[in-house]
Amino acid sequence: MTGIEVAPATPASLSETSPGNRRRAWIVTAMLVAFMMVNFADKAVLGLAADPIMADLGLSATQFGLANSAFFLLFSLFGAVGGLLADRVSPRWLLLGMALLWSVSQSPMALGGGVAMLFASRILLGATEGPAFPIAQQTALSWFPNHRRNLPTALITAGTTLGVVIAAPGLTWVVRQYGWRSAFAVVAIVGVLWAVVWAFVGRQGRHAVAAEDATAETTEKPGSSAVGYRRIIATRSWIGVTAGFASTYWILALALVWLPSYLHNGLGYRTTTAANLVALVWAVSAVAVVGQAGLTGWLLRRGVSSRWARARVGGITLILAAAGCLALAGGQRGPLTVLFMVLAFGICGVMASIAVTTVAEFAPPGRRGGALGLMNAVVTVAGLLGPVLIGRLVDTQGLAGYRNSIVLSGVLLLLGGLAACTLVDPDRDRRRLAR
């Protein structure tokens, strides 16, 4: 069994390099990208239908924020539990079960549920989506050695943005033509269709812990596979990437829940235009995530340490996004505001992919799923707190509440970027965990 990962000194085995194995690796990766697209379309539907839902159900902005925060009530807990479980149970079946439960949780609102059912369905959806990102990434990691992981993990992260790129105009059209409940029916059906396909093609790769052997790309110091989770989460690298990822998740929650409403009610854009701008932001995010993978891979191939190639690339990106937020807070409707919005919301998502590959670099494979799940659990607390806090600011301060929320987001991004730049050093912490 292997633990501490470095580039292979010998040629990979025939099974790793065979066309069939490579093809299966990318088929699974494509399915995981689609999985995350469905995941974020499920999250986005409530924000895209915010105004008609609040009007039909008689919700204030604070109550609507609470409904969104309800999604995260069990999200963090089950994210940690799911990550730990992925170290013991095949992720193939965990992913299948989650996708089916997502569809079940969306069904009550499609069939006429009221306020109580809205809260209950969002809590169930949050619980079943909590482990999605770490388990999807854990499954992708099992198909690729360390030096080839940047692109697949970036593509899966980009899937979170592509889901909203497609959902924003698509579900907005469904809401306008057929009512907001129809949008919930659409995402439920899509979840079932994904689960059917995954049941046939879903697999775990040879770089899973149970399959690693002497031909794999890593070596392990005796006893390193027994490293406790407490030691892993106490490392400066885990703390640094978690802080950076948490600031990113705050922005993701703001974009999912309140950005459509801010563009429509705060800046006066038409509903269709607001949906298209939301899609633009998430499209830029997808490009940024994939571009970061290319840049990071290029730097690593040239011998640049992961501390610079991953952590500081991510940290600097968060600092730039913070500048965009602070500039956006003082802007008015127009092209410059759109530019600041794209900078603020469109580039910080790179930290999600960087956080995953960084943790995978220094955490032993036998503890990787749990380390990712625990990180996700901490990070997603931002999703629990953000929507209700912003809703409260909007209720009490009106349009100024939107602006103050964006300023607060800029400060959090700045702190997260500084943490990533100053704390993270995977090589250092990998050596420490190997002792």
Side-chain angles (χ1 to χ4, degrees):
M1 186 176 291
T2 62
I4 301 174
E5 300 177 87
V6 296
T10 58
S13 67
L14 179 61
S15 64
E16 180 182 340
T17 59
S18 66
N21 194 69
R22 291 197 302 269
R23 183 167 55 250
R24 174 53 67 89
W26 287 111
I27 289 172
V28 170
T29 300
M31 286 297 298
L32 294 171
V33 171
F35 177 78
M36 294 310 303
M37 290 173 66
V38 176
N39 180 286
F40 266 68
D42 285 347
K43 290 182 177 72
V45 64
L46 204 61
L48 294 170
D51 289 341
I53 290 175
M54 286 191 285
D56 286 356
L57 300 183
L59 299 175
S60 67
T62 300
Q63 290 170 326
F64 183 72
L66 281 170
N68 281 277
S69 291
F71 172 88
F72 292 98
L73 188 63
L74 297 177
F75 189 95
S76 298
L77 174 63
F78 278 73
V81 171
L84 296 169
L85 195 60
D87 286 336
R88 296 163 176 81
V89 178
S90 172
R92 176 190 182 188
W93 303 114
L94 294 175
L95 294 170
L96 178 64
M98 281 189 287
L100 292 173
L101 287 172
W102 298 351
S103 297
V104 169
S105 67
Q106 301 284 21
S107 300
M109 299 315 298
L111 298 175
V115 174
M117 190 56 69
L118 174 64
F119 277 80
S121 66
R122 297 309 284 184
I123 291 172
L124 175 60
L125 181 65
T128 54
E129 287 196 348
F133 185 72
I135 294 179
Q137 293 285 15
Q138 169 82 337
T139 305
L141 292 172
S142 75
W143 283 96
F144 299 92
N146 182 53
H147 62 289
R148 294 181 55 213
R149 285 174 178 162
N150 290 318
L151 181 57
T153 56
L155 290 174
I156 292 169
T157 303
T160 66
T161 65
L162 292 174
V164 185
V165 169
I166 295 172
L171 293 179
T172 298
W173 180 84
V174 171
V175 170
R176 288 169 61 89
Q177 295 296 318
Y178 302 105
W180 61 267
R181 293 190 187 277
S182 298
F184 283 86
V186 169
V187 294
I189 292 169
V190 171
V192 171
L193 292 176
W194 183 91
V196 171
V197 177
W198 179 256
F200 290 96
V201 304
R203 295 289 187 278
Q204 192 170 18
R206 68 178 297 276
H207 292 283
V209 177
E212 293 188 359
D213 54 29
T215 65
E217 80 280 10
T218 61
T219 57
E220 179 182 64
K221 184 172 179 176
S224 65
S225 63
V227 172
Y229 292 114
R230 184 179 298 180
R231 285 188 62 196
I232 296 172
I233 66 175
T235 61
R236 294 174 65 190
S237 291
W238 190 92
I239 294 169
V241 294
T242 299
F245 191 7
S247 68
T248 295
Y249 212 91
W250 175 280
I251 291 292
L252 294 180
L254 175 58
L256 283 168
V257 178
W258 289 112
L259 184 57
S261 180
Y262 169 60
L263 292 171
H264 179 58
N265 299 319
L267 296 180
Y269 288 102
R270 295 172 55 189
T271 302
T272 302
T273 304
N276 290 335
L277 289 174
V278 170
L280 172 64
V281 167
W282 290 92
V284 170
S285 182
V287 172
V289 168
V290 176
Q292 170 270 316
L295 175 60
T296 295
W298 181 80
L299 292 172
L300 290 173
R301 287 192 298 273
R302 279 153 182 77
V304 177
S305 70
S306 182
R307 182 181 185 183
W308 274 99
R310 285 179 172 145
R312 291 190 176 173
V313 166
I316 291 169
T317 301
L318 293 182
I319 293 170
L320 292 174
C325 264
L326 297 176
L328 177 63
Q332 301 295 323
R333 175 179 169 179
L336 195 58
T337 294
V338 173
L339 177 62
F340 290 146
M341 180 184 66
V342 168
L343 182 63
F345 292 92
I347 66 172
C348 61
V350 304
M351 195 63 207
S353 176
I354 287 171
V356 170
T357 52
T358 300
V359 171
E361 188 175 351
F362 69 82
R367 294 293 183 264
R368 187 181 293 146
L372 292 172
L374 291 168
M375 176 179 68
N376 211 56
V378 173
V379 162
T380 53
V381 171
L384 175 64
L385 300 177
V388 66
L389 176 59
I390 294 169
R392 181 63 177 169
L393 289 173
V394 171
D395 270 343
T396 57
Q397 301 177 11
L399 296 182
Y402 287 116
R403 290 193 293 270
N404 291 334
S405 298
I406 292 172
V407 171
L408 174 60
S409 300
V411 172
L412 293 176
L413 283 171
L414 178 61
L415 294 174
L418 292 174
C421 287
T422 59
L423 296 179
V424 180
D425 187 345
D427 290 336
R428 175 199 63 210
D429 289 322
R430 183 176 61 231
R431 291 193 298 268
R432 288 180 178 177
L433 291 174
R435 293 172 185 169

